[in-house]
Amino acid sequence: MGTSRRELVEAFRAGAHQLWLVGGALRDRELGGPGYDHDYATSALPEEVEAIAAGLGAEVVTVGKKFGTIGVLVDGRWTEITTFRGDSYSAGTRWPDVRFGTSIEEDLARRDFTVNALAENAATGQLLDLFDGRNDIRRRLLRAVGEPAQRFREDPLRILRGMRFASQLDFEIEPATLDGMEQTIGLLSTLSQERVTSELDRLLQGRNPGRGLALLRQTGALDVVLPELAPMDGCEQNSFHRYDVWLHTVATVQAIGPAEPNLRLLRWAALLHDIGKPAVRHRKANGEWGFYRHEVVGALLAEAMLDRLKLGRREAVLIQLLIRRHMDRPDPGDRRSVRRFMTRCEGHWRDLVALKRADNASHTYDDDPYHHRLEVACKEAEASDAALLRADSPLTGDDLVAIFGRAPGPWIGRIKQRLSAMVLDGDLAPGDREHAERIARGLMGRHRPGTHG
Ligand code: ATP
Ligand code: MG
């Protein structure tokens, strides 16, 4: 039996503590999305929150206690209850010193964007919107709370959070806020790699990653947090391409649809698939740009970069595999060519076909029919593998021993294999024992009895 929200609100009220719903839950509710109430701000101190939760018999997590946060299981979901924060940042420090505030107003003033700075009193339902956040949500606008450059100097992670929200929510960044980002962009180099990578990861998986990537480039953030990608910007291509390498990359990322099951893997692979191009670019005899073996060089460059980003070993290996194979072009009409392709992508042919499709989206020629044929051919190869595993010989080993009156031995396996193969090829009906026996006798007759077994 867990604690309910009603019990929680009542206990805070009884202790004369304020409890406010804050942050992303209110923003997402205003946007009409799903989501649940997961962040509260309170006037109670962390030990008081802990005592209230204990009094209710609720499950509690205290790892965030020194930052003012107690986790409580409410209605079966983890909820964070954080003591009001006061102004506490000093420029350039990685970790803010935590100073508790005295009011919800003070707490809201130190939040990052107006759309994240709404609060709703859990007991009375009163909505507090000190920075016109609801209006910004309606206008789909990210605006810093307070003076933008100063707020980004306090915590440069807010710059990347802003770009991440721009991608996730498909919101624009208000001009003065964007200005503030540009002024402080160099401070991104002071952040820990884990925090940077986590924001980039979420930006890439957003609804409009193209918007987030454009912001990274336009503000100069790209040079600081993803310098390996900077040479792609302005790197011109041949006439098959509408765009330079960077814009082509953005279009490829964008072409990986949000419903893709392996969204994270594919968006990263799309971002890095042509990372090798600037390094290998050369003039061909016909005057066009060539990018010979860019997929091989790209996989190597990606290895070092993904290591630096600490993205995770498993993801890194798969991303490199997809980069390395993205130029593969098997003939869908040739079974061996299709098989070779599938073997080379080590069971990830669906991801590779998805990447190749997205890659194709910004070419000047339409390759969709080809990718459709390739997909069908791969599916057929998979289906015939599955059938091969399922196909049964109509005669069992015991049947064969009885028919030929011989001791069991390797000869049984050889005959059963032939019978299974004939079932698979459609030359023998699955349950046709009579026909199978005739075939088995024929097979045995070809060998002199007694030479095998
Ligand atoms: P998400 O859906 O990604 O969880 P969120 O808005 O809940 O979005 P969180 O990172 O969970 O984002 O943070 C909760 C709230 O805390 C934010 O809405 C914002 O008000 C505040 N916040 C978080 N990080 C910062 C920061 N670096 N500077 C200022 N305020 C912040
Ligand atoms: Mg949150």
Side-chain angles (χ1 to χ4, degrees):
M1 268 254 317
T3 304
S4 73
R5 179 184 149 116
R6 204 182 47 73
E7 288 171 319
L8 185 81
V9 171
E10 180 50 37
F12 274 79
R13 209 192 52 75
H17 299 296
Q18 293 180 42
L19 186 67
W20 295 83
L21 178 62
V22 289
L26 280 169
R27 179 196 68 219
D28 295 344
R29 191 208 285 169
E30 288 288 323
L31 282 167
Y36 70 102
D37 302 347
H38 42 71
D39 287 318
Y40 288 90
T42 182
S43 53
L45 292 169
E47 42 279 8
E48 293 174 317
V49 175
E50 210 181 341
I52 290 171
L56 293 169
E59 268 187 76
V60 166
V61 166
T62 57
V63 285
K65 191 170 173 181
K66 66 177 172 193
F67 302 109
T69 300
I70 302 291
V72 183
L73 198 64
V74 181
D75 293 324
R77 294 177 186 262
W78 284 108
T79 301
E80 295 198 331
I81 304 180
T82 305
T83 304
F84 291 156
R85 300 283 281 272
D87 202 10
S88 60
Y89 284 92
S90 46
T93 56
R94 183 172 295 182
W95 299 106
D97 348 302
V98 175
R99 199 180 67 73
F100 297 132
T102 53
S103 68
I104 183 68
E105 288 81 4
E106 194 184 353
D107 182 276
L108 293 178
R110 55 158 295 285
R111 291 178 182 266
D112 49 7
F113 299 98
T114 64
V115 300
N116 289 342
L118 299 174
E120 184 186 83
N121 189 303
T124 67
Q126 178 205 352
L127 188 86
L128 208 55
D129 180 9
L130 303 175
F131 306 101
D132 213 14
R134 265 194 305 177
N135 199 24
D136 286 341
I137 292 171
R138 250 191 310 277
R139 295 188 293 169
R140 308 183 76 82
L141 209 56
L142 288 156
R143 194 157 54 86
V145 171
E147 204 279 298
Q150 184 194 326
R151 302 307 311 286
F152 295 137
R153 246 175 254 121
E154 284 171 4
D155 179 6
L157 190 74
R158 291 171 184 155
I159 300 170
L160 291 181
R161 280 175 59 87
M163 296 180 190
R164 182 255 285 188
F165 283 124
S167 164
Q168 278 187 329
L169 304 170
D170 197 12
F171 277 22
E172 228 163 286
I173 296 186
E174 177 261 344
T177 300
L178 193 59
D179 249 23
M181 288 177 167
E182 277 164 4
Q183 285 171 42
T184 54
I185 213 73
L187 295 174
L188 291 178
S189 65
T190 63
L191 297 168
S192 77
Q193 190 58 57
E194 286 81 357
R195 297 178 89 198
V196 171
T197 297
S198 156
E199 292 302 330
L200 293 176
D201 199 29
R202 298 173 78 175
L203 179 153
L204 266 186
Q205 291 171 77
R207 277 169 50 179
N208 190 348
R211 189 194 279 282
L213 290 171
L215 284 163
L216 283 172
R217 194 201 61 83
Q218 156 193 359
T219 56
L222 198 67
D223 298 327
V224 185
V225 296
L226 295 170
E228 298 90 341
L229 303 188
M232 303 191 335
D233 190 13
C235 182
E236 233 183 87
Q237 312 199 70
N238 58 35
S239 54
F240 294 127
H241 287 270
R242 271 197 271 273
Y243 305 129
D244 71 13
V245 177
W246 170 253
L247 292 175
H248 162 68
T249 294
V250 172
T252 306
V253 171
Q254 193 84 356
I256 300 286
E260 194 58 61
N262 287 334
L263 185 67
R264 181 175 191 233
L265 171 73
L266 285 171
R267 288 265 173 94
W268 274 104
L271 182 69
L272 303 183
H273 79 285
D274 275 348
I275 191 179
K277 273 188 172 173
V280 303
R281 189 172 73 153
H282 57 95
R283 280 276 181 217
K284 297 195 292 191
N286 64 4
E288 292 265 30
W289 289 115
F291 299 97
Y292 182 63
R293 310 263 294 163
H294 74 272
E295 67 279 15
V296 178
V297 172
L300 289 172
L301 290 173
E303 180 172 22
M305 175 175 172
L306 293 169
D307 200 43
R308 179 183 74 75
L309 289 175
K310 301 185 183 148
L311 198 67
R313 189 75 205 125
R314 203 188 107 78
E315 286 79 1
V317 168
L318 287 177
I319 292 165
Q320 285 167 62
L321 176 71
L322 294 178
I323 296 171
R324 170 130 202 173
R325 301 260 66 107
H326 84 271
M327 297 299 285
D328 283 11
R329 203 181 162 81
D331 173 2
D334 174 0
R335 286 171 71 158
R336 292 185 49 187
S337 167
V338 170
R339 290 270 176 200
R340 207 175 308 122
F341 170 76
M342 291 172 77
T343 308
R344 283 177 177 159
C345 39
E346 298 167 26
H348 298 278
W349 69 264
R350 279 191 170 78
D351 293 324
L352 187 53
V353 172
L355 175 63
K356 288 171 69 59
R357 271 217 167 94
D359 186 12
N360 182 238
S362 74
H363 286 168
T364 48
Y365 56 94
D366 176 19
D367 230 1
D368 253 11
Y370 167 77
H371 289 110
H372 180 71
R373 288 204 300 136
L374 178 57
E375 192 175 1
V376 168
C378 290
K379 278 186 185 155
E380 275 171 11
E382 244 182 24
S384 88
D385 285 352
L388 191 58
L389 290 174
R390 269 188 279 102
D392 268 335
S393 155
L395 298 175
T396 66
D398 288 346
D399 293 336
L400 292 167
V401 168
I403 290 167
F404 295 106
R406 297 185 48 177
W411 63 276
I412 290 181
R414 283 196 288 270
I415 293 189
K416 282 179 67 179
Q417 234 166 47
R418 275 305 296 273
L419 294 174
S420 303
M422 291 181 74
V423 170
L424 192 67
D425 288 343
D427 296 332
L428 173 62
D432 192 343
R433 296 167 57 90
E434 258 174 60
H435 188 188
E437 184 171 334
R438 262 180 280 129
I439 295 164
R441 287 192 186 285
L443 289 168
M444 287 294 273
R446 271 197 240 140
H447 305 278
R448 271 185 289 115
T451 55
H452 49 195

